[in-house]
Amino acid sequence: MTALTLALGDLTREHADALVNAANSGLLGGGGVGGAIHRRGGPAILAECRALRAGRYAKGLPTGRAVATTAGDLDARWVIHTVGPVWSATEDRSALLASCHRESLRVAGELGARTVAFPAISTGVYRWPVDDAARIAVDTVRNTPTSVDEVRFVLFDERAYEAFARRIG
Ligand code: APR
């Protein structure tokens, strides 16, 4: 049974076996939580991302997929980078947001991670409404068989925290 827990604050201050990054397909940094991960995690993370771009993901990491690197100087063993969908009012991209959570858990399981901390993927620059993102994130984690013991959602503001808290119940 996987425990779902919540924290309010900065993901890069959390201790967990794996921290999930809301990345873009280029994997080479950006703003938001990914920018914070690269800043605090140091250059080792970016170096592995560049190697992925030079090899397996030459065209970028597709939306909905996940890949792990070192966590550099962060208090974790791995960063799992996943690419959320950009919110669209005209196209239902929920399956891709669910896939981010499922694929991140799959990668975490392969690594042997027992604790995994997620941000609210797609709810920042990618503009996904946070209540809907919380529904998809929580329901997907609950419905994905995994060897991970704890999934912690780390929310950056009260509004996101409340949305996830309501969903977890
Ligand atoms: N810790 C936890 N959550 C954070 C942090 C942080 N340090 N910084 C931002 N957040 C929150 C945001 O408030 C938002 O709720 O993470 C959520 C996701 O926001 P983004 O990081 O903007 O991610 P996303 O919406 O998936 O957009 C990804 O943004 O920075 C670029 O390179 C990134 O192009 C990619 C896009």
Side-chain angles (χ1 to χ4, degrees):
M1 188 66 181
T2 306
L4 269 62
T5 60
L6 291 177
L8 177 64
D10 183 345
L11 182 81
T12 67
R13 304 278 183 180
E14 293 288 314
H15 166 71
D17 290 337
L19 304 178
V20 176
N21 179 17
N24 58 54
S25 83
L27 290 177
L28 302 181
V33 68
I37 283 172
H38 285 286
R39 264 195 311 280
R40 187 170 292 277
I45 302 173
L46 194 57
E48 279 195 31
C49 287
R50 284 193 205 286
L52 287 166
R53 285 303 309 277
R56 194 154 41 122
Y57 294 113
K59 291 183 183 157
L61 181 66
T63 304
R65 299 271 297 278
V67 67
T69 65
T70 176
D73 301 329
L74 296 169
D75 192 10
R77 291 178 69 184
W78 303 281
V79 169
I80 297 173
H81 307 262
T82 190
V83 183
V86 177
W87 163 257
S88 165
T90 53
E91 188 188 353
D92 182 5
R93 300 177 180 165
S94 307
L96 287 168
L97 187 54
S99 175
C100 287
H101 294 83
R102 216 167 29 243
E103 285 292 294
S104 295
L105 286 177
R106 186 181 61 73
V107 170
E110 284 173 8
L111 293 166
R114 308 310 292 247
T115 54
V116 180
F118 281 81
I121 298 166
S122 287
T123 65
V125 174
Y126 288 173
R127 302 186 321 274
W128 204 288
V130 71
D131 285 319
D132 198 53
R135 173 184 68 81
I136 294 165
V138 170
D139 290 3
T140 304
V141 169
R142 280 201 172 128
N143 292 322
T144 302
T146 173
S147 54
V148 171
D149 294 327
E150 183 195 354
V151 169
R152 189 183 318 142
F153 291 105
V154 182
L155 294 321
F156 208 43
D157 56 46
E158 296 273 357
R159 205 167 141 253
Y161 184 94
E162 292 304 328
F164 277 73
R166 273 194 300 276
R167 198 67 206 176
I168 288 176

